[in-house]
Amino acid sequence: RALPLAAQRGMCSLFRRSVRGFYMPAHIPRVQAYAGTKGKGSAVMKKSGNDAVWKLCLRGLGIAFGVTLLLMAAASSLVLAGVLKSGGIAAAASVCAAAGAFAGALYTAKRRGTQKLVTGMALCGVFDVLLLFGNLLFVDTPPVGFAEICLPTLGAALIASLLSSRNVRKSAKVRRK
């Protein structure tokens, strides 16, 4: 291709030399340009499966809050129906929050390649802080027994992170394929 003289000498940042020696525009990543190319001596560049950590944590928080809200709706309908007594509301809230934290931490730890325990526990910490802020915003009284919700969520996130980081042995039938 006919390129400007500055680009041919490497002085222009609009073009860069690619892996195979061809000039290509600088705004196109090399991953897109050569994804899936095969052949002897060619560098196969494919995008890795790991997402950005913040996107993964946002999705995990969405799952955690979604599961918590669904279970809270079910628990509130049980309270209104009279199946669950009013003394068990705090325990039901702890169970719902722990189940949501378990689901969110399991999702993020399964999707994360490394540091599964740190990612799951960090997600649970952010989840607990957001629960605290929600309590402060929407309830007039300060949270007296916030440890009743915080400790079960931390335990559930720890269990989910440890479950996702264990090595599951494949059966002989799967290994033969």
Side-chain angles (χ1 to χ4, degrees):
R1 294 181 183 177
L3 291 175
L5 189 58
Q8 290 176 1
R9 292 185 180 160
M11 294 186 251
C12 182
S13 64
L14 293 176
F15 295 94
R16 70 170 188 274
R17 198 171 185 100
S18 68
V19 175
R20 294 189 180 182
F22 299 110
Y23 285 100
M24 56 189 288
H27 68 278
I28 299 176
R30 294 179 185 175
V31 174
Q32 289 179 358
Y34 294 108
T37 59
K38 295 179 183 175
K40 189 173 180 179
S42 68
V44 177
M45 295 186 218
K46 291 187 178 180
K47 191 174 180 180
S48 65
N50 290 337
D51 288 338
V53 177
W54 65 272
K55 288 181 183 178
L56 189 63
C57 286
L58 278 179
R59 279 189 235 128
L61 280 173
I63 289 172
F65 278 113
V67 168
T68 302
L69 287 176
L70 285 175
L71 290 176
M72 289 277 193
S76 65
S77 66
L78 288 175
V79 168
L80 289 175
V83 175
L84 187 64
K85 303 297 180 204
S86 62
I89 292 176
S94 295
V95 168
C96 294
F102 181 82
L106 188 66
Y107 175 81
T108 55
K110 280 282 191 186
R111 298 284 190 270
R112 184 85 171 124
T114 58
Q115 299 176 343
K116 294 176 184 258
L117 183 64
V118 174
T119 307
M121 296 306 284
L123 175 101
C124 182
V126 172
F127 179 69
D128 285 340
V129 167
L130 290 176
L131 282 178
L132 175 66
F133 283 152
N135 191 11
L136 291 175
L137 285 175
F138 299 114
V139 181
D140 292 336
T141 60
V144 176
F146 194 67
E148 295 174 4
I149 293 201
C150 201
L151 292 177
T153 57
L154 286 172
L158 178 69
I159 291 171
S161 299
L162 291 175
L163 278 176
S164 69
S165 64
R166 68 186 179 125
N167 292 330
V168 179
R169 187 168 176 163
K170 295 179 181 177
S171 67
K173 187 183 263 187
V174 173
R175 279 185 273 153
R176 275 186 254 142
K177 288 184 180 182

